[in-house]
Amino acid sequence: MVALFNASGGIASLLVGWLSYYRQPSPALLTMIATYLSILIGGITFTGSLVAWVKLSELMKPKPGLGVPLRISNLVLFVIIIITGVHFLYFGAYASLVATIALSLVFGVIAVIPIGGKDMPIVISLLNSYAGLAACAVGFEIANNLLIVTGALIGSSGIILTRLMCKAMNRPLSRVLFGGYWPKAKAGEKGYEAMGGEIRPITVDDAFYLIESASLVVIVPGYGMAVAQAQHALKELGTLMEAGGCDVRYAIHPVAGRMPGHMNVLLAEADVPYEKLYEMDDVNPVMDTVDLCMIIGANDVVNPAALEQPGSPIYGMPIIQAYRAKTVLVLKRSMAAGFSGVENPLFYKENTRMLFGNAKNTLQALSAAFKKGRE
């Protein structure tokens, strides 16, 4: 939805900028620059956001090796866009403006396609910033102060958020935009199963005993919780756990989910107290003292391959170090890899137990077990 909103803002800026200049061409340099920028940024935002929507909907699968040819095409296309822009500003050629429209739409597609799945929350934040900058440029073109101010606010705040997310991911923005797809994992890097590890599935009743005996529980929500709309069921279970004297905390990774703040929004919707939410840097130092770390549909953000496997595509990404807890309980639909496509060695560790099923149904079953056990 956020990607589609960004796309709407981009195409609106492009159309307003284009039609305003078409109806009343202005020789003023500032107006021509504003027209050019509104069309260029609006076009990139529109098609780039549509590609992001397709990728976030998992309708497009990554193809390693595709990034390098597209990056070369990006560079060539960018040079052509600059040339057409200079031609428009210097000669006022309307044909150059039309060419910029077409080129910006193409550029938006090939700029976002190579970006890997786990970087999409950063891309969404950046595209949101682009939408604001395009609106700001339109404001200068049509002399609308409201558009100038609001567009500048959205653009600047989006850039700040993008920078914060890149810092949290330990990745420069240039690596996100120009790094291409993450490479495939090399042989021997597909988790601990190949090294003799095994999956340890448990039932709801067994999970209930694990949770009931824990004094400190850290819950790590992920995209699986969002898909199952399980935030309200999680809040109910957390309340029951706290009623039994358990200290319940929610650990939030900066890029968990598909958009900035995805988990914060869902937990706030379920009325989880804000003071119960802990950032990654606050919860990792105490993870060794945690009795149970419950992972609700998260994958990449708790993947120890980011720390243990130098050849892994996600190596170097900061994670919530759930594997250090005394016991790890993973609620997951299947053994499928996360959005980055990297298998998770956490599932094969000796202190990990897997509880398979729809997160909402599983959490409701655990709540029912708690209520029954206290009757």
Side-chain angles (χ1 to χ4, degrees), residues 266-352:
L266 292 179
L267 293 177
E269 179 185 312
D271 293 326
V272 174
Y274 184 76
E275 58 271 14
K276 292 287 184 181
L277 308 187
Y278 289 79
E279 294 184 4
M280 174 178 60
D281 293 337
D282 294 328
V283 77
N284 278 341
V286 300
M287 192 60 77
D288 290 324
T289 65
V290 173
D291 297 308
L292 179 67
C293 183
M294 185 186 304
I295 300 170
I296 316 293
N299 199 322
D300 296 324
V301 298
V302 293
N303 193 334
L307 305 176
E308 300 173 347
Q309 299 178 2
S312 171
I314 62 172
Y315 184 73
M317 182 186 85
I319 62 167
I320 294 175
Q321 298 170 11
Y323 65 92
R324 290 169 43 209
K326 297 174 184 177
T327 304
V328 180
L329 177 61
V330 180
L331 276 64
K332 203 172 187 299
R333 289 177 295 178
S334 68
M335 287 299 297
F339 200 41
S340 68
V342 179
E343 189 170 345
N344 195 338
L346 174 65
F347 303 154
Y348 306 103
K349 290 186 177 289
E350 292 185 1
N351 62 332
T352 299

Side-chain angles (χ1 to χ4, degrees), residues 141 227 289:
E141 181 184 5
V227 172
T289 65

Side-chain angles (χ1 to χ4, degrees), residues 83-277:
I83 293 173
T84 57
V86 171
H87 189 264
F88 168 68
L89 296 177
Y90 191 79
F91 295 103
Y94 182 71
S96 297
L97 190 63
V98 174
T100 299
I101 295 174
L103 292 171
S104 67
L105 295 174
V106 175
F107 190 80
V109 173
I110 64 176
V112 177
I113 281 182
I115 297 175
K118 76 179 186 61
D119 288 326
M120 291 312 296
I122 298 176
V123 174
I124 288 295
S125 177
L126 185 62
L127 289 170
N128 183 57
S129 175
Y130 286 174
L133 294 175
C136 181
V138 170
F140 277 104
E141 181 184 5
I142 64 176
N144 187 304
N145 291 334
L146 182 61
L147 271 179
I148 294 174
V149 174
T150 55
L153 286 173
I154 294 171
S156 58
S157 61
I159 289 293
I160 292 172
L161 179 58
T162 301
R163 183 177 180 275
L164 290 174
M165 294 183 70
C166 285
K167 183 179 179 181
M169 290 285 288
N170 193 31
R171 283 165 56 74
L173 182 58
S174 59
R175 177 73 183 276
V176 174
L177 296 178
F178 305 115
Y181 275 130
W182 289 95
K184 286 184 177 179
K186 299 177 182 178
E189 294 175 353
K190 293 190 175 182
Y192 286 359
E193 190 174 40
M195 307 175 193
E198 62 177 332
I199 299 298
R200 298 172 177 84
I202 62 173
T203 64
V204 169
D205 290 336
D206 293 332
F208 162 68
Y209 291 121
L210 280 178
I211 298 172
E212 189 183 38
S213 62
S215 298
L216 174 58
V217 175
V218 169
I219 298 173
V220 182
Y223 185 63
M225 184 188 76
V227 172
Q229 288 291 291
Q231 61 268 29
H232 296 283
L234 178 59
K235 170 61 164 57
E236 181 184 12
L237 178 61
T239 301
L240 291 171
M241 293 162 61
E242 290 172 338
C246 180
D247 182 2
V248 179
R249 306 176 186 179
Y250 299 81
I252 310 298
H253 193 281
V255 294
R258 295 293 190 269
M259 59 170 280
H262 198 169
M263 298 302 106
N264 301 72
V265 171
L266 292 179
L267 293 177
E269 179 185 312
D271 293 326
V272 174
Y274 184 76
E275 58 271 14
K276 292 287 184 181
L277 308 187

